[in-house]
């Protein structure tokens, strides 16, 4: 599923195969010194009977809202975005081209950007929960400040305590020495389809807005993939700015953090998604304490069991996932998993569309030994895997990177090393097993892949091209930007005007090429 993010308001929508984030905050139970909603109602039967009718639809949400709303805040960020005014921007070596044409390299300029969302206070000393995408800087941006606005309009500066991109959660701390009203997480596992829920947030920057509805589905998989594609679905109206805001049950507990909507128009159509509290609460606790969020990792690519796969294998449609590939040196490889295996259970829990393998493994600790039940050639087998540590989202994206040697699309400027571009006229990127396969090289190949070549460089005159692999420089193997940059620096320190590169091209034996330094 493709994810589209807006620069302002950071809203996530889900439509067909499109997913979009909602800017807003998450919630807990409210108080001034003690949590409201759940605890107040539990300790005072008269409050419970007034706020939550014991049968039928609530007469009003007013009393419940009055108790909870003081702990739901608006969140605004100010970001500094770097803007490239180079007329050759978007092409390889834009800076080098402008220099050769006699111009002075144009210095990047900056502009200010903002994002708006929601959040909720979870402790009297001012810890706030929200979505990561509400406070995460956009591409090429630097986060400069976070402002939290209380329902009465009082503004406070806040600092980012911790953020977790995979679960899209973040924890802030309000910079103020006072006691704040707060709310508490409830038990989302007790939520049932048809239960009443209330969402409070900051849609379209309008300030505290309350909407109500019911739980439409529990543990909804939207199809966007990932370890945390598992949401509470609700028809409570959720829009831009609601991201990070709380979804309350009728006892005033936060059972979900509003995160995404399904929408053809960008507005609410009654299909919203919230991160379940049972998933969010343990992660929030770790972020609040400054601990690293570590997750288990198998190292496989998977395909859900659709009708055709199930029919071809004689299996139920909603059971298991097909292993498409196994990463080298991964926990899956060490356990003996193979492409074509159908994983049906992990640690005794069934693998289903609502409880995916990625979700099950990500919620286990690295280093755990877990039994994995699978089907292979019609036989049921059980293997034991010692889970690895899940890589960062950036590392996972790099592992999944598709490299087309025939493409003329410029590389991401963030992947360009200035020294290598200046001295060799090359853009390079690190080799991965996936890229090696795409280039027809052995998965264990070590080197740097050429992503683009300056047509006016000596490298271009020597015939180097996109997709070539640099195996060594001056007879020293190179497997990183730093190693290639070091080889260039060493050559220059010895007074050399060229560097000897060993180049591997698909379908050809490796060859040595002397490339002049600039």
């Amino acid at each position: 599923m493709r994810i589209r993010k807006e620069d302002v308001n950071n809203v996530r929508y889900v439509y067909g195969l499109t997913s979009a984030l909602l800017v807003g905050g998450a919630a807990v139970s409210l108080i001034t010194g003690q949590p409201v909603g759940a605890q107040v109602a539990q300790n005072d039967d008269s409050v419970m009977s007034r706020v939550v009718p014991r049968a039928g639809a609530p007469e009003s949400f007013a009393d419940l809202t009055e108790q909870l709303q003081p702990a739901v805040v608006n969140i605004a960020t100010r970001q500094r975005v770097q803007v490239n005014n180079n007329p050759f921007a978007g092409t390889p070596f834009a800076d080098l081209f402008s220099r050769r044409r006699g111009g002075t390299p144009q210095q990047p300029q900056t502009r200010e950007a903002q994002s708006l969302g929601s959040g909720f206070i979870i402790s009297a000393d001012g810890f706030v929960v929200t979505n990561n995408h509400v406070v995460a800087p956009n591409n090429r941006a630097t986060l400069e400040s976070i402002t939290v606005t209380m329902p009465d309009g009082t503004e406070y500066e806040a600092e980012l305590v911790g953020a977790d991109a995979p679960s899209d959660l973040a924890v802030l701390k309000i910079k103020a020495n006072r006691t704040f009203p707060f709310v508490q997480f409830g038990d989302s596992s007790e939520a049932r389809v048809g239960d009443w829920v209330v969402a409070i947030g900051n849609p379209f920057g309008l300030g505290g807005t309350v909407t109500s509805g019911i739980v439409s589905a529990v543990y909804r998989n939207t199809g966007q993939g990932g370890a945390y594609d598992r949401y509470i679905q609700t028809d409570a109206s959720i829009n831009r700015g609601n991201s990070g805001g709380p979804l309350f049950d009728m006892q005033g507990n936060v059972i979900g953090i509003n995160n995404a909507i399904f929408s053809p128009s960008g507005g609410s159509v009654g299909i919203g998604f919230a991160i379940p509290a049972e998933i969010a609460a343990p992660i929030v606790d770790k972020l609040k304490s400054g601990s690293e969020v570590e997750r288990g990792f198998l190292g496989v690519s998977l395909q859900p069991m659709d009708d055709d796969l199930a029919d071809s294998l004689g299996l139920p449609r909603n059971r298991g996932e097909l292993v498409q590939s196994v990463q080298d040196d991964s926990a899956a490889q060490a356990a003996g998993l193979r492409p074509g295996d159908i994983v049906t259970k992990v640690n005794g829990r069934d693998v289903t569309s609502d409880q995916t393998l990625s979700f099950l493994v990500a919620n286990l600790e690295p280093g755990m030994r877990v039994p994995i039940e699978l089907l292979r050639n019609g036989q049921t087998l059980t293997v034991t895997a010692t889970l690895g540590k899940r890589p960062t989202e950036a590392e996972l994206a790099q592992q999944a990177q598709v490299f087309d040697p025939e493409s003329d699309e410029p590389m991401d400027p963030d992947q360009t090393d200035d020294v290598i571009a200046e001295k060799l006229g090359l853009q390079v990127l690190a080799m991965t097993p996936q890229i090696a396969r795409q280039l027809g090289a052995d998965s264990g190949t070590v080197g740097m892949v050429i992503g683009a070549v300056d047509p006016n460089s000596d490298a271009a005159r020597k015939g180097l091209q996109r997709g070539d692999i640099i195996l060594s420089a001056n007879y020293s193997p190179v497997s990183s930007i730093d190693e290639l940059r070091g080889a260039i620096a060493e050559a220059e320190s010895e007074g050399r005007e060229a560097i000897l590169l060993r180049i591997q091209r698909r379908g050809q034996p490796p060859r040595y090429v002397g490339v002049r330094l600039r």
Side-chain angles (χ1 to χ4, degrees), residues 139-140 410-416 427:
N139 187 33
R140 294 183 159 276
M411 290 177 56
D412 184 341
D414 290 339
Q415 294 181 334
T416 303
Q427 285 181 318

Side-chain angles (χ1 to χ4, degrees), residues 471-482:
L471 300 174
S472 67
N474 286 341
Y475 298 109
S476 296
V478 290
S479 60
S480 68
I481 293 280
D482 288 341

Side-chain angles (χ1 to χ4, degrees), residues 400-432:
Q401 184 175 7
V402 175
F403 183 86
D404 180 4
E406 305 300 325
S407 172
D408 57 2
E409 180 179 349
M411 290 177 56
D412 184 341
D414 290 339
Q415 294 181 334
T416 303
D417 181 82
D418 292 339
V419 172
I420 295 172
E422 172 72 27
K423 298 297 182 181
L424 292 178
L426 298 175
Q427 285 181 318
V428 297
L429 65 155
M431 174 69 73
T432 66

